[in-house]
């Protein structure tokens, strides 16, 4: 690492470059097995993973926000680019397809996300995280019934996972099956009683069934566990006007 004693101002349009040199010649004693191998970009230390990191000191809070937004956008673009390279190189790798699908999902490219995650599941049907994330992607695509199918399968794969049961409960509410959602929220809370989101979700389901006093208790618990939970706070105010 190299650090300047005094930060150097960088005017708009400044371009930084870095040159990486790899010595894979026969004279390099560190070359594994003294043999040449094809190396491409990738996340492993055996891949080509040279990178340059710069630390910036923004002048103003607005500059900090601009830098943060630009950084996130660039990193997401890099993730997508790297994911596309890996999938093209290893089309039968379920993990690579799932990672690319997640990057598309974060970028709001929902149809592409669904396609890649579905391919990951075709290759590895028991991939729990992919099953769960496909459900989220389908929800964002406005396909709640299809999402519910994925969350049910995720719950079958991991019945002891409180987050998976919570996602199933939310999906059941989305399709109007409130009674079953209550059971799933309770199952999630039995696994993790400290989940503010599960208490809030159970409260909304109970309120939809007209059980306002029970719903209020769930919202109170959600706020107790997470005082800054905006949905629970709003739901608590609303249910108190209905009692």
């Amino acid at each position: 690492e190299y650090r300047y004693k005094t930060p150097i101002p960088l005017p708009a349009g400044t371009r930084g470059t870095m040159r990486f040199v790899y010595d894979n010649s026969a004279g390099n004693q560190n070359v594994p097995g003294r043999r040449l191998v094809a190396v491409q970009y990738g996340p492993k230390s055996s891949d080509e993973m040279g990178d340059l990191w710069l630390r910036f000191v923004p002048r103003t809070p607005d500059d900090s926000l601009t830098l943060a937004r630009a950084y996130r956008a660039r990193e997401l673009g890099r993730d997508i680019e790297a994911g596309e390279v890996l999938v093209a190189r290893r089309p039968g790798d379920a993990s690579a397809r799932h990672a690319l699908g997640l990057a598309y999902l974060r970028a709001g490219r929902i149809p592409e996300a669904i396609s890649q995650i579905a391919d990951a599941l075709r290759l590895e049907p028991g991939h729990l995280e992919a099953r769960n994330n496909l459900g989220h992607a389908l929800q964002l695509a406005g396909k709640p019934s299809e999402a519910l199918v994925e969350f049910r399968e995720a719950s079958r794969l991991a019945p002891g996972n409180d987050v998976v049961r919570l996602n199933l409960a939310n999906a059941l509410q989305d399709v109007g099956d409130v009674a079953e959602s209550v059971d799933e929220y309770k199952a999630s809370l039995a696994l993790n009683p400290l989940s503010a989101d599960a208490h809030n979700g159970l409260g909304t389901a109970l309120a939809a069934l007209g059980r306002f006093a029970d719903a209020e208790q769930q919202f109170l618990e959600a706020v107790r566990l997470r005082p800054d939970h905006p949905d629970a706070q709003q739901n608590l105010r609303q249910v108190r006007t209905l009692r």
Side-chain angles (χ1 to χ4, degrees):
E1 295 184 4
Y2 299 88
R3 303 190 183 193
Y4 291 101
K5 292 182 178 180
T6 303
I8 297 176
L10 299 179
T14 297
R15 180 181 295 273
T17 62
M18 180 73 177
R19 182 174 183 231
F20 297 90
V21 178
Y22 298 90
D23 179 10
N24 61 357
S25 67
N28 186 349
Q29 300 298 311
N30 296 313
V31 175
R34 306 288 181 83
R35 62 188 179 87
L36 299 181
V37 296
V39 177
Q40 295 177 298
Y41 174 82
K44 299 179 180 179
S45 57
S46 57
D47 296 323
E48 193 290 291
M49 56 178 299
D51 213 347
L52 170 65
W53 290 79
L54 299 175
R55 176 171 292 180
F56 295 96
V57 182
R59 288 192 176 95
T60 68
D62 286 343
D63 286 347
S64 295
L65 292 174
T66 299
L67 176 61
R69 284 194 293 265
Y71 176 80
R72 284 194 297 268
R74 184 174 185 278
E75 286 300 294
L76 180 55
R78 282 164 53 96
D79 288 345
I80 290 174
E81 184 179 2
E84 289 172 342
V85 168
L86 291 175
V87 166
R89 193 191 310 164
R90 301 197 295 262
D93 188 331
S95 295
R97 288 192 175 276
H98 177 240
L100 177 57
L102 281 184
Y104 283 145
L105 196 59
R106 292 196 301 271
R109 295 165 61 173
I110 308 304
E112 292 163 290
I114 291 173
S115 176
Q116 289 297 328
I117 300 175
D119 280 344
L121 285 169
R122 176 178 54 80
L123 294 164
E124 189 178 327
H127 196 309
L128 175 63
E129 191 177 358
R131 187 72 62 182
N132 205 47
N133 286 323
L134 180 56
H136 286 306
L138 289 167
Q139 284 177 323
L140 292 172
K143 300 178 179 180
S145 297
E146 294 179 37
L148 178 59
V149 172
E150 301 303 328
F151 288 127
R152 282 195 188 280
E153 179 61 15
S155 182
R156 186 190 69 78
L157 291 170
N161 186 311
D162 67 287
V163 175
V164 169
R165 302 297 289 267
L166 174 59
N167 290 336
L168 174 57
N170 290 333
L172 286 164
Q173 275 220 78
D174 287 344
V175 299
D177 194 341
V178 181
E180 188 180 353
S181 77
V182 169
D183 294 336
E184 288 300 326
Y185 282 123
K186 289 180 177 179
S188 178
L189 286 168
L191 295 165
N192 180 14
L194 302 180
S195 172
D197 288 334
H199 282 289
N200 180 61
L202 178 55
T204 60
L206 293 170
L209 295 173
R211 296 168 56 182
F212 301 126
D214 294 335
E216 181 180 3
Q217 293 306 308
Q218 294 301 320
F219 295 139
L220 282 169
E221 183 63 11
V223 172
R224 185 188 71 80
L225 290 167
R226 208 169 92 199
D228 62 343
H229 198 307
D231 289 341
Q233 291 173 346
Q234 181 178 353
N235 290 333
L236 180 59
R237 289 193 294 268
Q238 289 179 339
V239 79
R240 282 175 168 170
T241 64
L242 298 173
R243 288 195 61 190

